[in-house]
Amino acid sequence: MRVLVTGGAGFIGSHVVEALAARGHEPVVFDVREDPAADVRDEEAVARALDGVDAVCHQAAMVGLGTGFADAAAYVSRNDLGTAVLLTAMAAADVRHLVLAGSMVVYGEGRYACARHGVVRPGPRAVAALDAGRFEPECPQCGRELAPGLVTEDAPVDPRNVYATTKLAQEHLAAAWARATGGTAVSLRYHNVYGPRMPRDTPYAGVASFFRSSLARGEAPRVYEDGLQRRDFVHVRDVAEANATALESLGTATPPGALTAYNTGSGTPHTVGEMAHALAAACGGPAPVVTGEYRLGDVRHITADSARLRAELGWKPEVGFTEGMREFAGASA
Ligand SMILES: NC(=O)c1ccc[n+]([C@@H]2O[C@H](COP(=O)([O-])OP(=O)(O)OC[C@H]3O[C@@H](n4cnc5c(N)ncnc54)[C@H](O)[C@@H]3O)[C@@H](O)[C@H]2O)c1
Ligand SMILES: [Zn+2]
């Protein structure tokens, strides 16, 4: 299968390229980082790149949380205009298979239950509570501390920043494309991806990358809140395998004319504090410091139930947390 990998020179895209090649497919990189003419917003460049292509793996995006609202137009341009141009060209070239790099950010806060009121949707955490060191979201009805659960794909979406909004719009565009063309689309909603080639020293890098950079300077990782916030850290090679598996399943395991979304996580949540300890131990560096600082808008817990991807596509993560963090701690790039 000849697969156009947009963003194929990036962190995740480069691993997708390797996974596809290892399975005997023919990945074609389309990334503005490698070639300034390879911009997904450029209709002609995309049309040329689609020549002879069987499927598209769309990783190209402007990532991260953004800084305030100043870069909203840039996010929308790269992520949503880019996706629209790509899909238009795919429709014209009759390329009917798409795998999209989705994100767990579409869910906003994770799933929570109150002992008395069952599953509830907490609002943003109050500054007064955070200042007082009360980090757990509270029940909107009775104020009790909530217990976190696993988010499933049918959970309501609640994008809370511009980046999240553009990731959700990408899915809506892909669904509209599938409906209009009879194409098949899969969105892999990645959780916290880490591993070799993870971007570092940029404001958009993930938390594992920040901790590793601190340790590389001989400094203790600084852990926000109380360190008990839960995430699902999934290794980049497992995410690449999920992409390859999804690409091979398009049109068989997943129905045409629609977009199917799959949570893509390790299935084993860990706290940010545990992650900091694992990295510090692997680096032989100073133990993490839990600072009690917080960032407004950070979600407290977000952990996926990735059972659907396992059950329907037969994917399963292979890289364990300790092993993956140990490798990441020592990775040179
Ligand atoms: N890293 C994570 O934890 C994570 C989590 C959820 C979703 N994602 C998604 O995964 C995808 C890949 O992210 P990543 O972490 O590898 O980031 P990355 O920045 O390393 O890779 C993105 C690549 O896309 C390219 N790109 C950006 N705009 C482009 C354009 N207009 N035309 C062509 N290429 C363009 C960049 O040059 C870059 O190489 C993104 O869609 C991101 O939203 C990542
Ligand atoms: Zn309650």
Side-chain angles (χ1 to χ4, degrees):
M1 185 166 43
R2 187 175 161 94
V3 182
L4 188 71
V5 184
T6 72
F11 165 45
I12 298 169
S14 63
H15 286 274
V16 172
V17 166
E18 288 174 8
L20 287 171
R23 290 179 184 223
H25 298 298
E26 190 193 342
V28 179
V29 173
F30 189 85
D31 191 312
V32 74
R33 183 190 304 204
E34 204 167 82
D35 172 2
D39 192 309
V40 285
R41 293 165 294 183
D42 181 331
E43 283 169 47
E44 284 173 19
V46 175
R48 273 195 304 277
L50 284 173
D51 191 37
V53 157
D54 302 296
V56 173
C57 185
H58 185 30
Q59 305 290 323
M62 180 168 167
V63 303
L65 261 189
T67 44
F69 206 79
D71 40 16
Y75 275 104
V76 171
S77 173
R78 276 184 188 257
N79 300 359
D80 296 338
L81 175 62
T83 300
V85 170
L86 174 67
L87 293 170
T88 307
M90 286 172 68
D94 205 24
V95 176
R96 288 163 175 253
H97 287 170
L98 174 76
V99 171
L100 171 70
S103 176
M104 51 82 179
V105 291
V106 300
Y107 298 117
E109 275 286 356
R111 182 187 167 96
Y112 292 91
C114 166
R116 210 159 118 214
H117 295 104
V119 174
V120 291
R121 301 187 64 197
R125 295 176 293 171
V127 171
L130 293 166
D131 282 339
R134 292 201 318 274
F135 298 115
E136 294 299 336
E138 292 163 0
C139 175
Q141 292 172 55
C142 69
R144 252 177 237 225
E145 234 180 57
L146 297 170
L150 297 179
V151 178
T152 48
E153 289 84 356
D154 56 3
V157 290
D158 184 13
R160 295 203 172 172
N161 54 53
V162 172
Y163 169 66
T165 303
T166 63
K167 293 306 287 180
L168 182 58
Q170 286 188 316
E171 288 192 356
H172 289 159
L173 287 164
W177 163 84
R179 216 173 294 128
T181 64
T184 307
V186 160
S187 176
L188 298 174
R189 291 177 175 166
Y190 308 157
H191 281 245
N192 288 57
V193 188
Y194 76 98
R197 305 200 281 271
M198 187 173 186
R200 62 163 119 187
D201 304 327
T202 85
Y204 306 114
V207 61
S209 184
F210 285 126
F211 289 171
R212 193 180 62 161
S213 295
S214 301
L215 287 161
R217 292 191 302 267
E219 294 165 13
R222 293 174 64 80
V223 181
Y224 289 162
E225 303 191 8
D226 55 4
L228 299 180
Q229 52 277 42
R230 289 150 66 90
R231 294 290 184 273
D232 186 320
F233 298 100
V234 59
H235 196 274
V236 67
R237 283 197 300 275
D238 284 329
V239 170
E241 284 299 317
N243 276 276
T245 304
L247 282 157
E248 289 174 351
S249 79
L250 289 168
T252 50
T254 46
L259 174 127
T260 312
Y262 293 103
N263 288 339
T264 307
S266 71
T268 314
H270 286 275
T271 67
V272 172
E274 282 168 357
M275 192 266 286
H277 276 286
L279 278 182
C283 292
V289 177
V290 175
T291 68
E293 290 164 280
Y294 60 85
R295 297 186 304 185
L296 273 182
D298 272 359
V299 294
R300 175 65 176 170
H301 306 290
I302 174 92
T303 51
D305 181 345
S306 300
R308 185 177 186 184
L309 183 55
R310 292 174 184 233
E312 292 184 9
L313 302 190
W315 167 85
K316 68 175 172 33
E318 302 285 350
V319 185
F321 178 75
T322 310
E323 170 200 351
M325 287 296 168
R326 198 179 300 129
E327 181 209 47
F328 178 58
S332 59

